[in-house]
Amino acid sequence: MNNRERFKAIMHDEAYDRLPVLHFGYWGETLQKWCDEGHLRSEEIEDISDGSASEKALSDKLGFDYNYYTCFHTASGLFPAYESRIIEAFPDGSRHVLNGDGVIILQKDGAGSIPSEIGHLLKDRASWEEHYKHRLQFDEARIDWAALERLQRDGWEIPLGLHCGSLFGNIRNWLGLVGLSYLYIDDEDLYTEIIDTVGELCFRLTERVLQTGLVFDFGHFWEDICFKNGPLVSPAVFREKVGPHYKRITQLLNARGIDIVSLDCDGCIDALLPVWLENGVNTMFPIEVGTWRSSIGPWREQYGRSLRGVGGMDKVVFSRDYAAVDAEIERLKPLVALGGYIPCPDHRIAPDAKWENVQYYCERMHLTF
């Protein structure tokens, strides 16, 4: 079996020869550290991106089979995006920068974490009409036709996903969490209009790509709308406003034979799981373990075999030792036995990861499963 066949078999509870060893990419700082330590050459990390040839070479070097997040993306966000520019520079070298989402952020050299948000262009109906609405309309130029033709021409031995966009996470980015929360109270009609505009755009882009006849193995959404204690939006509001857009897109995917639909949301996602499952999203990724200890085990007990998963491997063990890696693999064994689940580091591999621990993990996974 190749890895595409293995993925389909596992997700559909069919027999397979072995478990593929997956990853979800790397922080840039991780790659640079590994270069500094002599494990990689600088030219090996220059063009690394999800599913690229250079990333595949790195996967082979470490022992991974492939990056799960290998998807065809359309430009489902702002189109055109804002041109990034410095708004104000400060004596300490930090600066306020307008980013591509129209958000003013605090930027500091060497800071790898999520930057602080200083302000947002999207605040109300006037700013929506002036700055955002026209950037969220369907246009065939949002699709990279040359890349799509290459996919149609090339044979694939790993699963290929169709990224169907973000129905709420991007909106949260544009408004900010505080602005988004207030908007629901201050102007529910605008709140709904923004969600509906984004939902229609994602639907039409998904529909147009599927019309080419290219065969995808799964659909995928990105959200990141939860934190360690739960969602950043009321589940009831999410069900009412966003749920129908998921259903419309997942029904479109199902009609084309795509019955695996995954979703990337970090944090404690338990309260939103029912909404996603009700509306056709059946595979959780990357199941961030965190301090809240997410796992497919309790979810499977609650929702049954219709819920699948990719992820849930606590990547913090990469910063420790072989014993910690062994213990994590032992923890994963009964979860793999549930079926419909493939372990994967629960986010991009962080800079504290030791090269030898990651290699050891891949070796042990190949021997264990």
Side-chain angles (χ1 to χ4, degrees):
M1 301 180 81
N2 63 31
N3 285 308
R4 192 174 196 177
E5 293 165 340
R6 291 183 183 107
F7 172 79
K8 291 179 181 179
I10 294 166
M11 290 294 110
H12 292 100
D13 288 323
E14 297 170 357
Y16 61 94
D17 58 349
R18 70 170 179 85
L19 201 72
V21 181
L22 308 186
H23 68 92
F24 180 20
Y26 317 86
W27 288 28
E29 294 87 346
T30 308
L31 299 176
Q32 187 56 58
K33 186 192 80 165
W34 287 345
C35 276
D36 295 341
E37 293 172 348
H39 302 294
L40 298 169
R41 301 186 307 276
S42 57
E43 58 267 27
E44 292 180 283
I45 67 170
E46 285 177 356
D47 300 315
I48 283 186
S49 59
D50 294 315
S52 68
S54 54
E55 189 194 64
K56 182 182 183 305
L58 176 55
S59 292
D60 292 344
K61 203 167 188 176
L62 284 166
F64 287 112
D65 284 309
Y66 65 93
N67 180 349
Y68 175 75
Y69 195 58
T70 302
C71 297
F72 177 75
H73 293 250
T74 60
S76 60
L78 300 183
F79 188 80
Y82 282 92
E83 185 175 345
S84 182
R85 59 186 174 88
I86 296 174
I87 303 296
E88 188 175 2
F90 301 99
D92 65 356
S94 64
R95 52 215 171 265
H96 287 176
V97 175
L98 180 73
N99 70 13
D101 285 333
V103 179
I104 300 171
I105 59 172
L106 176 62
Q107 198 173 78
K108 297 179 180 180
D109 292 334
S113 60
I114 297 172
S116 299
E117 297 177 356
I118 307 301
H120 300 79
L121 293 186
L122 182 55
K123 301 176 184 295
D124 50 26
R125 179 163 291 281
S127 54
W128 163 249
E129 298 283 353
E130 180 180 359
H131 298 296
Y132 282 79
K133 190 173 182 178
H134 68 281
R135 297 176 189 265
L136 290 165
Q137 304 305 308
F138 175 80
D139 188 324
E140 291 216 346
R142 290 175 174 271
I143 299 170
D144 186 339
W145 294 104
L148 204 55
E149 288 176 8
R150 287 194 297 273
L151 290 176
Q152 289 172 318
R153 185 173 63 246
D154 298 342
W156 280 82
E157 294 191 348
I158 66 171
L160 178 62
L162 173 57
H163 202 292
C164 302
S166 168
L167 299 179
F168 199 76
N170 279 338
I171 299 172
R172 186 278 319 277
N173 287 346
W174 303 330
L175 281 156
L177 177 58
V178 174
L180 180 65
S181 301
Y182 274 109
L183 184 64
Y184 176 69
I185 302 300
D186 295 339
D187 191 342
E188 186 178 348
D189 287 343
L190 176 58
Y191 185 93
T192 303
E193 181 180 330
I194 294 173
I195 291 171
D196 290 348
T197 300
V198 170
E200 175 66 14
L201 173 61
C202 291
F203 176 87
R204 292 194 62 189
L205 286 168
T206 302
E207 179 181 52
R208 185 66 187 91
V209 172
L210 291 175
Q211 286 172 351
T212 66
L214 183 60
V215 177
F216 293 92
D217 301 296
F218 64 97
H220 187 72
F221 294 92
W222 172 85
E223 295 300 357
D224 278 9
I225 50 175
C226 296
F227 73 125
K228 68 177 184 177
N229 293 330
L232 300 171
V233 56
S234 158
V237 172
F238 193 70
R239 174 178 278 108
E240 175 192 354
K241 304 289 186 181
V242 190
H245 294 289
Y246 282 115
K247 177 163 284 188
R248 190 174 175 221
I249 295 172
T250 59
Q251 287 177 339
L252 179 64
L253 294 168
N254 295 165
R256 298 284 179 149
I258 304 169
D259 62 354
I260 301 299
V261 184
S262 61
L263 182 139
D264 173 359
C265 187
D266 298 342
C268 181
I269 66 174
D270 296 54
L272 294 184
L273 269 175
V275 182
W276 285 319
L277 288 169
E278 290 163 14
N279 291 289
V281 178
N282 57 17
T283 306
M284 298 300 117
F285 169 84
I287 313 178
E288 189 178 22
V289 177
T291 57
W292 50 96
R293 308 311 294 173
S294 282
S295 167
I296 194 172
W299 298 343
R300 183 61 64 76
E301 289 179 9
Q302 185 171 359
Y303 301 108
R305 302 188 72 83
S306 62
L307 185 144
R308 302 164 174 88
V310 175
M313 178 269 168
D314 194 354
K315 66 185 178 304
V316 300
V317 302
F318 290 147
S319 68
R320 297 173 184 165
D321 53 24
Y322 288 175
V325 173
D326 287 336
E328 180 62 11
I329 291 173
E330 288 299 312
R331 186 184 71 83
L332 294 171
K333 282 183 178 180
L335 302 179
V336 171
L338 295 173
Y341 168 67
I342 307 175
C344 176
D346 64 353
H347 214 286
R348 298 189 184 272
I349 296 175
D352 61 0
K354 299 174 183 176
W355 173 272
E356 59 273 17
N357 284 350
V358 180
Q359 276 193 324
Y360 180 73
Y361 166 79
C362 292
E363 292 169 4
R364 290 278 289 108
M365 287 292 287
H366 281 294
L367 290 171
T368 303
F369 300 106

